[in-house]
Amino acid sequence: MKVSKICCIGAGYVGGPTMAVIAQKCPEIKVTVVDINQARIDAWNGEDLDKLPVYEPGLDKVVAEARGRNLFFSTDVNKAIKEAEMIFISVNTPTKTYGEGKGMAADLKWVELCARQIAAASEKDKIVVEKSTLPVRTAQAVKDILDNTGNGLRFQILSNPEFLAEGTAVEDLLDPDRVLIGGDTTPEGKEAIDALVEIYATWVPKERILTTNVWSSELSKLTANAFLAQRVSSINAISELCEVTEADVSEVARAIGADSRIGSKFLKASVGFGGSCFQKDILNMVYISRSYGLHEVADYWEQVIKMNDHQKARFAKNIIKSLYNTVNGKKITFLGWAFKKDTNDTRESAAIYVADHLLNEQAQICVYDPKVSAEKIYADLDYLNTRSPEENRKYVKVVNDPYEACMDSHAVAILTEWDEFVSYDWEKIYNAMLQPAQLFDGRNILPHQELKKLGFRVSAIGK
Ligand SMILES: NC(=O)c1ccc[n+]([C@@H]2O[C@H](COP(=O)([O-])OP(=O)(O)OC[C@H]3O[C@@H](n4cnc5c(N)ncnc54)[C@H](O)[C@@H]3O)[C@@H](O)[C@H]2O)c1
């Protein structure tokens, strides 16, 4: 079966870039990305490519090439469902904030709504692709809804989890380590798998396209994120041990990473991982394990989250301790708010939790981030509900200039590893700060020895 029209429900960090790349590589396929969020769709359709709703290096060029040719963004969900042979579900699946499984399970409300809408709007058989990260065995629920609420049509459900990393999304999509496609082992299931394989094979070498049964595919995505997050928590645990033993975490990471069984990637100690996925997906795995009565499995993975929370709190406590055990009324500058460099995504960013901790101690925080708006920063803090929106605006200032941000502050903390921070005139910053000028490098990106020579008191992770 040859697919000529694709619909993707959800124009977010995954739906937007993945579909833009499919459209760029397969000009003969019409790709329509739909969303209920009008503002988001307007931004995807906007003239100014600097204002796309998702910032990713290289994405503007891909969108410029395909948009209007065979890539479309729309809020007309039903129309796009009707005309497509293949529908990707790429909606958000956040941690539940209410009821059974609150704080642990994935909230599948939006996925279910999609399934019901697909069933209601469809007039011919379709392949439905789970692109969102979902708990293992969700495909069964999606199929059940489609089979029982549809018009007697046949639906094939595939799992095609996305492994892109924000900040390198376009690169990852153009040259993925692997593409994973799970489906039914029936002849119809295999046909559906082949249809999706054919799309990716336009630009991905066939040997990198892995096909599995649908449950393995669903579980592989959760497992991949759990393993990645586990490496960060493991090296962060070692960073604390380094700080009390005069070992250096960068040297330890280099030494163990040279072992080909361990490998060198994802061994960078930091203030803690953030992002919309790691925590949510591990919590979900913990929840699933517990629901099957696998308490040791659940406890094992839950520790990854506990370690990450500890690392964020430890960073904030270290700032307070270094500033003579009080930050009340003191200006502390945050360089970076995004959860990692080269993205404007702030979901679960370590900066939010470090700020919250310091605000509880009545610090005055000033934030500069090259890509994150003040509006987003306040929304992140308001969402915590720790204090009123008025208080957040009173104690947190957001500025557009890094030198202004650092002026008259007691301490500067690096929360995101943006490249530009390294090239700043640190002498100028030092001279504009209150003395003793303290620097907390939560990403270990700055030249610490040079900064010490300038007079800074430097605290780094695991040093
Ligand atoms: N962000 C990542 O790096 C990443 C990587 C891999 C996988 N994932 C997974 O992909 C999924 C999507 O993540 P995201 O970061 O793109 O989320 P997102 O919040 O950026 O985007 C989701 C979009 O879906 C839209 N939506 C929700 N319900 C809808 C409906 N019924 N009809 C139309 N639109 C609807 C929302 O308005 C939103 O714009 C999640 O399951 C996530 O775990 C994310």
Side-chain angles (χ1 to χ4, degrees), residues 285-300:
M285 200 149 93
V286 170
Y287 181 76
I288 295 168
S289 303
R290 279 205 207 295
S291 68
Y292 283 109
L294 309 179
H295 297 291
E296 288 77 8
V297 177
D299 291 346
Y300 176 78

Side-chain angles (χ1 to χ4, degrees), residues 94-402:
T95 304
K96 265 186 95 177
T97 53
Y98 55 88
E100 183 84 20
K102 176 180 173 179
M104 299 293 289
D107 193 341
L108 299 181
K109 180 172 86 179
W110 293 276
V111 173
E112 174 162 349
L113 283 172
C114 286
R116 288 183 184 276
Q117 192 162 5
I118 294 168
S122 294
E123 291 165 354
K124 56 183 185 213
D125 296 351
K126 295 195 193 287
I127 299 171
V128 175
V129 186
E130 298 175 343
K131 181 54 103 181
S132 296
T133 303
L134 297 168
V136 54
R137 299 205 73 85
T138 304
Q140 198 164 32
V142 172
K143 180 142 183 59
D144 208 40
I145 293 166
L146 290 169
D147 286 348
N148 285 292
T149 61
N151 311 317
L153 302 170
R154 282 177 309 164
F155 294 96
Q156 276 302 320
I157 321 294
L158 299 179
S159 159
N160 172 222
E162 185 47 61
F163 293 103
L164 68 78
E166 285 181 32
T168 52
V170 173
E171 216 177 290
D172 296 344
L173 288 164
L174 291 174
D175 187 22
D177 287 343
R178 79 319 206 170
V179 167
L180 179 59
I181 302 172
D184 261 7
T185 45
T186 57
E188 299 78 25
K190 286 195 178 121
E191 202 187 325
I193 293 176
D194 288 345
L196 187 52
V197 168
E198 202 179 315
I199 293 172
Y200 282 111
T202 314
W203 78 96
V204 180
K206 270 259 170 73
E207 62 278 9
R208 284 198 231 157
I209 305 177
L210 314 182
T211 57
T212 64
N213 80 31
V214 74
W215 319 125
S216 305
S217 174
E218 288 179 335
L219 187 57
S220 295
K221 175 62 193 177
L222 294 183
T223 307
N225 274 354
F227 269 60
L228 290 170
Q230 177 267 120
R231 276 176 79 95
V232 179
S233 276
S234 294
I235 199 70
N236 280 345
I238 299 303
S239 76
E240 191 168 12
L241 199 51
C242 286
E243 287 167 27
V244 292
T245 57
E246 292 184 39
D248 178 325
V249 76
S250 308
E251 293 179 350
V252 174
R254 183 154 53 95
I256 64 165
D259 184 327
S260 59
R261 293 167 304 176
I262 296 174
S264 58
K265 290 186 180 163
F266 255 72
L267 281 183
K268 197 144 174 37
S270 70
V271 54
F273 60 76
S276 67
C277 294
F278 283 180
Q279 174 164 311
K280 141 178 110 61
D281 293 346
I282 293 183
L283 287 172
N284 185 215
M285 200 149 93
V286 170
Y287 181 76
I288 295 168
S289 303
R290 279 205 207 295
S291 68
Y292 283 109
L294 309 179
H295 297 291
E296 288 77 8
V297 177
D299 291 346
Y300 176 78
W301 288 109
E302 194 164 25
Q303 194 58 35
V304 173
I305 302 290
K306 287 186 184 158
M307 188 65 226
N308 196 48
D309 289 341
H310 172 66
Q311 190 77 348
K312 291 181 277 189
R314 200 165 82 71
F315 187 78
K317 283 181 191 157
N318 184 31
I319 294 178
I320 297 163
K321 191 169 149 222
S322 304
L323 296 182
Y324 314 107
N325 289 310
T326 175
V327 289
N328 184 319
K330 290 183 180 167
K331 178 177 174 183
I332 297 172
T333 300
F334 277 27
L335 292 181
W337 190 267
F339 86 92
K340 65 188 285 200
K341 73 171 179 178
D342 293 336
T343 176
N344 61 347
D345 196 349
T346 63
R347 289 177 288 183
E348 294 299 332
S349 177
I352 303 170
Y353 298 94
V354 174
D356 191 48
H357 200 117
L358 297 174
L359 289 169
N360 283 340
E361 297 292 328
Q362 303 190 343
Q364 300 271 351
I365 294 179
C366 185
V367 185
Y368 165 76
D369 186 288
K371 288 286 171 196
V372 181
S373 66
E375 200 185 0
K376 210 162 191 184
I377 291 170
Y378 291 128
D380 287 337
L381 291 167
D382 293 347
Y383 185 77
L384 296 177
N385 250 330
T386 317
R387 60 195 69 73
S388 69
E390 293 72 32
E391 284 172 309
N392 284 329
R393 279 146 193 80
K394 183 169 164 205
Y395 294 113
V396 179
K397 201 174 158 208
V398 182
V399 299
N400 291 325
D401 176 75

